[in-house]
Amino acid sequence: VPEDSLDIPKIPIIPMSYGNARRFLEPMTGPAVPQSWQGGLPFHYHVGPGPARSRMKVKTERGARAFHKIWNTVGMIRGSRWPDEWVVVGGHRDAWGPGARDNVSGTVSVLETARAFAALARDGQKPARTVVFATWDAEEWGLIGSTEWVEELEDTLRAHVVAYINEDGTFSGPSFGGGGSPSLKPLFRAATRVVPDPVGPGTVYDVWLKAHNGDTTALTMGNLGGGSDFSGFYHHLGIPSGGIGFDGPDGIYHSMYDSYDWMTRFGDPAYKAHRAGAQLVAVILGRLANSDLLPLDYAAFGTELNGLVAQLDSGIAKKQWKSSVTTQALKDALDRFTAVARAFNAARDSALARAGGVDSARAQRVNQALMLVERRLTRPEGLVSRPWFKSLQFAADLDNGYATMAFPSVNEAIRYADAATANKELVDLVNRVDQARAALVEAAVALR
Ligand SMILES: [Zn+2]
C-alpha cells in the first residue's frame, strides 16, 4: 500500500490541558469559528492569527525510541456445530493516559464475556460457532494492532468471520448508544430488550425509549466512520461490524483525567454501566454464535441505505449536476435488494419457527450465502482516494477521520471529481448492489 494512501497524520498533534489551551485560544482575533468547532471553554472561539505567541517544549519518544513491540491477545472457543464460522469481539488495550474509559472499559467487557463463555463451555454449553476474543495493541497510534492482524489473516477472516463486535471506550455513563452496519442494528436493538438498564427502571430498551419520549423511530444508531478497530474488518474486508456502549457527559477524552478515580466518582460509579454493557455484548455474541440462521437483517440494511441516497442527491444538487447525474438506478437497485431481503427474512422466520429448526448442513449453506452480502459491496481496487478502503457502503470521511460517509465511491466522485466519474461510480455501485442481492437469492434458495 503506498504511504500516501494511509491515514498517517501530516501535522503533529498533542493533547493539552484546558488551562494551556485557553492561553492559545482566547486571545485569537481572526474570524469566528463554525458552530461545530466551538468547544467547552467559556468564551467565543476564533481562528488565528494571534496575537498569542508561545514557546512550546514537547518531549516525544518518537525519534529516540521509534520502534516498539506491540502485542495483540487472542483467545478462541471452538464452535460445536459450525467451527468454521467465527464471531470476533475485540477492544484495544493501549491508551493515551490511564485510559479507564478509553479503553479499559471496553477491554473488560471483552474479558468478561470471555469469562462467561468459558464458564458455559466448561458446563458443556459450547457456542455453536467459534468465538474469538481479542484485545488489540497500538490502536491510538493508528489502529495498528488490529490492522496488522486483519491484514495478516485476511484470507482466513474473509472466509470465516460472520461479524466483528468492537468495544471501544464505551462504558462511562447512563445513556445507551450503538453503531454499526445497518445489518446488525436490529440485533443490537433486540439485545437491549433483555438486559436490565444500569439505572432503570426496566430494560435498557425501556430507558432508551423513554429518553426519546416513546418515539421508536428516534431509536437510531450511527454508522461506522473511522477511528477504531472495526476499520480493518468493516472497511477493508466488508465484514458486518459494530458495537454498543453507555455514554454520559465527560470531557476526559484522551487526557490524564480518564482515570480510575474519574470513572469511580463520575463516569460509572458502582460500575453498573460496565456490567450492563458486558451483558449486552454477551447477548449479542451469544445470538451471533448460536442462532441457526445468522441474525443479520438485510431488509433493515437495504432500507437504511436507500434513505442515505438523499445525501448523494444533495451533493449532486449542490454541484448543479441534476441534468447529467441521477441516483435513480441506485434507488431501484436498493429497492430490489430490500424486496428480496424482506422475502428472505419471512422465509427465515418461518423456517426457524418450524419444529426441529433448520438442520446443520442446510443452515451452513444459507449462512455461507448471507456472509457474502456485504463482502460483495467491496471492490478489490478500493476507493479512488484510498485503495485500502474496499467497502463501498461506508467509509471514514476523507476530511474528518471520525465521521462517516455513505456510498464513499460515489460521494467522493461528486465531491472531488466530475459528473462523468460520478456516473461511472454509480454504475459500478449498482452492479455490486445487484451482486449482493444475488447472494441473498442464493441464501433463499438454500433455505428452501
Ligand atoms: Zn479508544
Side-chain angles (χ1 to χ4, degrees):
V1 179
E3 196 174 304
D4 58 11
S5 76
L6 299 175
D7 266 350
I8 295 175
K10 306 280 188 297
I11 303 172
I13 294 163
I14 184 164
M16 60 168 73
S17 71
Y18 79 90
N20 284 335
R22 179 171 196 156
R23 294 187 187 201
F24 288 96
L25 291 174
E26 196 168 19
M28 285 188 177
T29 52
V33 300
Q35 182 88 56
S36 60
W37 295 12
Q38 175 69 40
L41 296 179
F43 50 84
H44 290 294
Y45 287 27
H46 293 260
V47 296
R53 297 182 72 85
S54 69
R55 268 175 105 82
M56 284 180 70
K57 195 169 163 192
V58 177
K59 195 174 154 199
T60 168
E61 290 186 344
R62 272 197 105 148
R65 296 174 56 218
F67 290 93
H68 291 249
K69 250 192 190 155
I70 62 170
W71 287 269
N72 295 325
T73 67
V74 181
M76 186 182 251
I77 300 178
R78 207 174 141 78
S80 57
R81 276 180 86 188
W82 302 288
D84 289 338
E85 292 170 15
W86 300 4
V87 179
V88 183
V89 60
H92 71 87
R93 217 176 54 252
D94 64 309
W96 269 109
R101 174 182 186 273
D102 183 8
N103 188 33
V104 171
S105 80
T107 307
V108 295
S109 76
V110 176
L111 297 180
E112 182 61 7
T113 45
R115 191 190 62 74
F117 273 79
L120 284 170
R122 270 194 297 273
D123 265 11
Q125 292 189 61
K126 286 180 94 186
R129 298 189 174 83
T130 294
V131 185
V132 179
F133 303 89
T135 71
W136 313 116
D137 206 345
E139 188 266 0
E140 301 290 8
W141 293 85
L143 320 180
I144 296 171
S146 60
T147 303
E148 288 298 324
W149 196 74
V150 164
E151 289 178 348
E152 187 178 336
L153 298 179
E154 186 169 326
D155 293 339
T156 308
L157 301 178
R158 199 179 274 124
H160 298 297
V161 177
V162 162
Y164 171 66
I165 303 301
N166 190 59
E167 290 307 316
D168 184 3
T170 38
F171 305 116
S172 57
S175 312
F176 171 79
S181 170
S183 61
L184 282 170
K185 290 176 188 176
L187 170 64
F188 293 174
R189 195 169 288 121
T192 65
R193 290 174 175 274
V194 298
V195 170
D197 187 79
V199 181
T203 62
V204 172
Y205 183 86
D206 295 334
V207 174
W208 189 25
L209 187 60
K210 199 168 166 221
H212 291 88
N213 304 314
D215 179 3
T216 52
T217 61
L219 304 183
T220 56
M221 291 182 232
N223 292 309
L224 300 179
S228 194
D229 295 305
F230 52 76
S231 199
F233 296 88
Y234 192 53
H235 297 131
H236 191 57
L237 299 184
I239 292 168
S241 303
I244 54 89
F246 290 92
D247 274 323
D250 58 61
I252 47 100
Y253 182 59
H254 285 178
S255 80
M256 290 300 282
Y257 298 102
D258 184 0
S259 62
Y260 178 73
D261 183 62
W262 176 84
M263 185 63 86
T264 308
R265 289 166 64 196
F266 305 109
D268 188 21
Y271 288 81
K272 289 179 180 166
H274 279 65
R275 182 175 62 192
Q279 288 171 337
L280 274 173
V281 175
V283 169
I284 291 163
L285 289 183
R287 292 186 181 182
L288 282 166
N290 293 317
S291 304
D292 285 353
L293 302 175
L294 292 173
L296 298 168
D297 189 333
Y298 285 108
F301 181 94
T303 305
E304 180 161 355
L305 260 65
N306 213 335
L308 290 166
V309 177
Q311 293 181 1
L312 298 178
D313 288 336
S314 74
I316 290 164
K318 246 182 238 156
K319 289 270 182 174
Q320 301 185 321
W321 290 351
K322 271 184 171 168
S323 56
S324 52
V325 183
T326 164
T327 57
Q328 194 56 48
L330 178 59
K331 286 176 197 149
D332 293 345
L334 286 165
D335 279 341
R336 291 193 293 273
F337 177 97
T338 309
V340 171
R342 286 213 181 97
F344 172 79
N345 281 2
R348 171 170 65 187
D349 293 347
S350 57
L352 290 173
R354 243 172 265 144
V358 183
D359 70 82
S360 289
R362 173 174 303 182
Q364 187 171 7
R365 285 197 303 277
V366 175
N367 292 329
Q368 288 295 318
L370 278 180
M371 281 169 64
L372 292 177
V373 176
E374 284 173 73
R375 285 156 167 85
R376 287 197 179 162
L377 292 172
T378 63
R379 68 178 174 197
E381 67 272 33
L383 298 178
V384 172
S385 62
R386 296 161 287 176
W388 187 85
F389 284 75
K390 304 202 184 297
S391 174
L392 306 186
Q393 33 169 314
F394 295 96
D397 192 311
L398 204 52
D399 299 326
N400 174 1
Y402 288 103
T404 180
M405 178 194 257
F407 309 116
S409 56
V410 181
N411 205 321
E412 290 187 355
I414 294 169
R415 219 190 271 185
Y416 309 114
D418 47 45
T421 312
N423 275 325
K424 201 182 94 212
E425 288 289 10
L426 275 163
V427 169
D428 177 79
L429 184 58
V430 165
N431 245 317
R432 289 175 204 277
V433 171
D434 283 338
Q435 287 168 30
R437 175 171 52 92
L440 280 173
V441 172
E442 287 166 40
V445 169
L447 188 56
R448 254 178 230 149

